[in-house]
Amino acid sequence: MKQKEFDYVIIGAGSAGCALARKLSDLTKSRILVLEAGGSDSKPEIQDPSSCFKLLGSEVDWGYKTIPQPYANDRVFDTPRGRVLGGSGSINGMVYIQGDPFDFDLWAFSGNDGWSNAEVRECFRTMEGRDSLSREDPPRGDLLRPATVAHRSPISQVFIDACGEVGIPFNGDLNGGPLVGAGWNELCIFEGRRQNAYRAFLEPILKTSHVQVETNSIVRSLEINSQGVIETLTYYQDGNECTVSIAGEVILSAGAVDSARLLLLSGIGPAEELQSIGIQTQVNSPEVGKNLVDHMLLGVAFAAANEIVEYNPAITENCAFVKSNPDVFGSDIEISFVRSALFVEGHNTPDHCFTIVPGIVRPQSRGSIVLKSSDPFEHPLIDPQYLSEEADVQALVRGIEISREIGASRAFRAWTLGEIVPGPKVQDRKAIGEYVRAVAGTWFHPVGTCRMGIDSASVVNSQLQVRGVTNLRVADASIMPRIVSCNTNPAAMMIGWKAGNLIAKSS
């Protein structure tokens, strides 16, 4: 194959990578190559918003698993990651909540210039094509079009009413300010179909832009010369070796698992750890793969008094943000409402059921991603250390208590035959804690493994440049210094969009 030259090569056509490629294309006339390990997103279950759980463990999922988690009854957790155009945004639940203003102001307060709430909200506004920050101002153009569902389920309105009854106020715009109260989720569903980042950002421009997308393309590692520069990049497509020259930069947008994995395979990471598996250290970066954090959640299931009619394909239409105790700043629990049985692992439920799903959005537990060997095809050791901090267990216990209050409210009396999971026998906090360790699952929101910061241990700086390499950046959820207090996919897209701005300004 004849060697080609590109100004920028983006590794990963997921939520961040697609947003990055679109923004960079809009701002420059650069030659951009986007490499995606997976294939097309045309699989019918991807386009059908009601079928997202059918995608987990399928050919469009990397199929990662954690190592046994000692603080969660030694369970092994699936860690779904999208291996397809659109990335994990092609297999997720499509909830679009941008984040609490405090999340981003804390990033900026920690020294990350340019990442304050006001600055990232401008990124959200432009990637949705809105003329103003008001959510009443509709999205326009061929960009992202998040919105609440048009036909809301009556039982979902009951959840909002029940929240009000137990003292959780109504929030008319979960993307309009602090995440407090109960409200309706915006969703990445457009004209009845999933709108992932590929469909929102790249597909509309591929025929007219300088962006080239190559699917089924595997990058095994990055080749860094003695001056700390990546001059060429080799990838493998359908068994063929392809090499491209890099005139500008390489940007890793492979996600919290694979961006860290590729850095480690390339010799960028903790020196002793790399040497122990025979990888020569190019840059001693001790926190690559560290600071892994993920949201956790579980279900409180209720038998429904009648069959629940599905009015729309959304997995969850609404949620509530609350605090686990009075000393918490803002909200550290997100409680979602689901019109079926969900996140009640190992428990039997009736055919007609609904679930109130509390989850922790500011977890304290931290884990890591470590290579097993230098083999680029071997899955890494994923160790989130779920529930290793007792504060996380107690926050989930409180989430269950609040969920029970909501389910026992007057608003739900005509809709339920009573709680079935964890059930009336699980009452004291010790027993609830045991239920947490036995049942709590992941929200599939891993972040933080290539942390952004101003300290020498951070992996990237506020411009997303990898320390020790001249022309390498990371732009995806792995750079989050702290996880956002809600679903992470919108923030991942924002990071890619903002990276496009940063790169264009430096070119």
Side-chain angles (χ1 to χ4, degrees):
M1 177 180 177
K2 184 178 179 180
Q3 183 168 313
K4 296 182 180 179
E5 182 178 78
F6 290 88
D7 298 303
Y8 300 101
V9 177
I10 300 169
I11 301 174
S15 296
C18 290
L20 163 59
R22 172 60 181 273
K23 188 60 175 177
L24 194 55
S25 174
D26 286 351
L27 293 176
T28 73
K29 297 187 182 298
S30 303
R31 300 159 299 171
I32 302 168
L33 174 64
V34 182
L35 300 176
E36 169 54 44
S40 166
D41 68 341
S42 61
K43 187 178 175 71
E45 291 84 355
I46 293 177
Q47 302 308 314
D48 175 11
S50 66
S51 297
C52 64
F53 287 106
K54 297 177 182 179
L55 299 166
L56 307 184
S58 73
E59 74 277 9
V60 297
D61 177 5
W62 279 95
Y64 290 132
K65 294 180 182 293
T66 70
I67 65 172
Q69 294 297 284
Y71 300 96
N73 291 7
D74 287 321
R75 289 182 289 145
V76 172
F77 291 72
D78 291 332
T79 304
R81 298 285 87 198
R83 185 172 181 168
V84 61
L85 289 172
S88 297
S90 292
I91 65 173
N92 71 350
M94 294 155 288
V95 171
Y96 186 85
I97 303 176
Q98 296 172 352
D100 192 286
F102 173 74
D103 293 330
F104 306 113
D105 283 338
L106 183 58
W107 292 6
F109 183 76
S110 301
N112 297 298
D113 186 42
W115 294 88
S116 69
N117 178 62
E119 289 161 312
V120 305
R121 293 296 173 195
E122 181 63 13
C123 289
F124 283 117
R125 181 188 72 79
T126 56
M127 78 180 193
E128 297 167 20
R130 297 182 192 270
D131 291 323
S132 73
L133 289 173
S134 171
R135 307 307 289 175
E136 295 180 0
D137 179 27
R140 58 177 174 76
D142 53 356
L143 292 164
L144 195 66
R145 293 174 174 266
T148 58
V149 292
H151 303 290
R152 295 170 178 173
S153 304
I155 193 172
S156 295
Q157 179 61 55
V158 173
F159 173 77
I160 297 284
D161 297 340
C163 285
E165 189 179 320
V166 302
I168 302 171
F170 178 66
N171 185 333
D173 183 1
L174 293 176
N175 284 322
L179 290 177
V180 176
W184 298 95
N185 297 331
E186 290 187 14
L187 299 155
C188 290
I189 299 175
F190 181 61
E191 297 182 340
R193 297 162 68 84
R194 176 192 296 271
Q195 193 189 33
N196 60 20
Y198 174 72
R199 299 282 172 143
F201 299 122
L202 277 192
E203 186 185 49
I205 66 163
L206 285 181
K207 292 181 180 179
T208 59
S209 72
H210 297 278
V211 179
Q212 180 176 326
V213 178
E214 297 289 346
T215 55
N216 303 310
S217 299
I218 303 294
V219 177
R220 296 180 183 175
S221 65
L222 306 174
E223 302 147 18
I224 305 164
N225 68 20
S226 58
Q227 285 75 46
V229 177
I230 302 173
E231 295 179 314
T232 61
L233 181 76
T234 300
Y235 64 96
Y236 298 84
Q237 186 179 55
D238 300 324
N240 298 313
E241 182 176 307
C242 309
T243 302
V244 295
S245 296
I246 311 298
E249 300 185 31
V250 174
I251 306 98
L252 268 178
S253 295
V257 174
D258 287 301
S259 284
R261 182 178 65 86
L262 278 169
L263 288 179
L264 293 169
L265 286 168
S266 306
I268 304 171
E272 291 185 7
E273 189 178 293
L274 295 174
Q275 290 164 7
S276 70
I277 56 174
I279 295 178
Q280 182 178 351
T281 303
Q282 301 294 329
V283 179
N284 182 18
S285 186
E287 283 202 19
V288 173
K290 306 303 185 276
N291 192 46
L292 174 63
V293 60
D294 190 6
H295 293 146
M296 297 201 77
L297 78 173
L298 41 65
V300 180
F302 296 81
N306 300 290
E307 181 180 359
I308 298 173
V309 178
E310 297 292 346
Y311 281 68
N312 59 70
I315 300 300
T316 176
E317 297 173 77
N318 51 16
C319 67
F321 289 90
V322 299
K323 57 177 65 187
S324 62
N325 69 74
D327 295 331
V328 170
F329 179 87
S331 303
D332 62 337
I333 296 174
E334 180 181 348
I335 302 175
S336 297
F337 182 73
V338 180
R339 297 157 294 172
S340 61
L342 202 61
F343 302 115
V344 287
E345 179 184 343
H347 290 75
N348 294 321
T349 56
D351 291 337
H352 306 305
C353 189
F354 64 85
T355 316
I356 300 175
V357 184
I360 49 173
V361 291
R362 292 180 183 169
Q364 303 303 304
S365 302
R366 297 291 185 273
S368 63
I369 291 173
V370 177
L371 296 182
K372 290 182 185 178
S373 71
S374 58
D375 181 353
F377 296 105
E378 188 169 18
H379 286 188
L381 298 169
I382 302 174
D383 182 13
Q385 284 286 295
Y386 288 136
L387 305 177
S388 57
E389 292 290 341
E390 181 64 21
D392 292 348
V393 177
Q394 293 309 311
L396 283 167
V397 168
R398 182 58 186 145
I400 292 171
E401 293 172 341
I402 298 169
S403 298
R404 283 174 155 174
E405 293 173 17
I406 295 169
S409 65
R410 289 189 303 275
F412 269 117
R413 283 180 185 172
W415 291 85
T416 179
L417 300 176
E419 178 190 321
I420 50 173
V421 182
K425 294 182 179 180
V426 180
Q427 288 298 325
D428 63 79
R429 290 182 68 85
K430 180 180 179 183
I432 300 172
E434 291 172 352
Y435 174 74
V436 168
R437 293 194 187 277
V439 173
T442 167
W443 224 327
F444 314 135
H445 294 165
V447 309
T449 53
C450 301
R451 178 179 66 85
M452 174 175 63
I454 60 172
D455 57 295
S456 59
S458 60
V459 180
V460 301
N461 61 19
S462 63
Q463 301 295 302
L464 307 183
Q465 296 162 317
V466 175
R467 298 186 186 282
V469 186
T470 299
N471 61 337
L472 176 62
R473 303 193 202 218
V474 179
D476 56 33
S478 70
I479 66 96
M480 292 187 190
R482 293 186 66 87
I483 195 167
V484 290
S485 305
C486 59
N487 311 70
T488 53
N489 191 55
M493 288 189 280
M494 177 276 293
I495 289 168
W497 193 260
K498 184 172 178 62
N501 280 327
L502 294 173
I503 295 168
K505 287 180 181 178
S506 65
S507 62

